[in-house]
Amino acid sequence: MKYRQLTKEQFESLHEEFARFLASQSIDVKEWNQIKEEKPHVAEEEMNVFSDVVWDDVLNKVKYVEHFSKTSANLFKCEDEEIHRIAIKINWDINLLEQKGFEWLMQNPMDNSVEIFRGTKPYNNNERNTEIFDLIEKGSAISKGEIFEYFNQLIS
């Protein structure tokens, strides 16, 4: 498996797509139920393959991810060949996970207590999707990139 199996909730929300996936392999509902009962390892494999297909589809579309903690933010722009990072560190008692703290940062990005770093690197072994998936698994969220672009404009 390239990523991880979708959760039960994710499978439930994608049940129509999963049914089409099985149908593309000439597996109907009756046969699927039989496979689950008699060959659970085969059913597990089908679910794993489908999960990888879904993850690849999602990750191919990702352009930005971001991760916030109480006193830092990591903003990523995911291009085809390389990933750009803007790291923000707050050096005083503020909580970026709260609306008040986040708003303070957006209104005071050049405050002396704010450190901003930037960097760019190629993906390890040209595995763009795997690296983005790893960031998501570690708590990053897919975003539209407004915060990345805001800070990118400030420090350019």
Side-chain angles (χ1 to χ4, degrees):
M1 236 192 132
K2 194 171 178 183
Y3 307 108
R4 71 161 165 76
Q5 192 176 90
L6 297 171
T7 63
K8 184 178 187 229
E9 293 79 15
Q10 289 168 324
F11 267 109
E12 286 170 0
S13 70
L14 294 168
H15 70 276
E16 289 177 22
E17 290 84 350
F18 187 56
R20 279 195 292 277
F21 171 78
L22 292 173
S24 73
Q25 298 178 61
S26 302
I27 300 172
D28 62 18
V29 175
K30 183 180 173 189
E31 190 176 352
W32 174 243
N33 289 331
Q34 187 178 351
I35 290 171
K36 285 195 302 188
E37 187 131 337
E38 296 172 9
K39 301 176 188 169
H41 63 285
V42 173
E44 195 74 18
E45 253 326 289
E46 290 296 334
M47 293 168 71
N48 289 346
V49 170
F50 178 73
S51 295
D52 278 350
V53 168
V54 169
W55 277 114
D56 261 332
D57 186 49
V58 168
L59 295 167
N60 283 337
K61 296 173 185 168
V62 170
K63 298 287 180 231
Y64 297 92
V65 290
E66 54 194 33
H67 185 273
F68 284 85
S69 69
K70 190 173 177 181
T71 59
S72 67
N74 284 285
L75 313 171
F76 301 93
K77 182 175 184 179
C78 311
E79 294 186 338
D80 291 340
E81 302 295 323
E82 58 191 12
I83 189 165
H84 306 279
R85 175 183 180 196
I86 296 175
I88 302 165
K89 175 109 177 75
I90 310 296
N91 295 314
W92 69 283
D93 191 25
I94 191 165
N95 188 346
L96 296 177
L97 300 175
E98 295 175 353
Q99 187 69 27
K100 188 171 89 176
F102 176 75
E103 287 174 0
W104 179 89
L105 173 62
M106 297 307 281
Q107 293 165 4
N108 301 281
M110 303 315 275
D111 189 271
N112 286 341
S113 64
V114 178
E115 293 180 63
I116 303 174
F117 307 94
R118 75 185 314 163
T120 297
K121 75 170 195 73
Y123 297 106
N124 295 329
N125 304 316
N126 293 323
E127 287 293 329
R128 177 190 184 275
N129 288 359
T130 307
E131 284 196 42
I132 296 169
F133 178 78
D134 189 48
L135 289 171
I136 292 168
E137 288 292 282
K138 290 176 178 170
S140 294
I142 298 169
S143 76
K144 293 182 178 159
E146 293 104 332
I147 302 168
F148 180 96
E149 293 301 338
Y150 172 75
F151 279 95
N152 195 41
Q153 292 281 320
L154 283 176
I155 60 178
S156 291

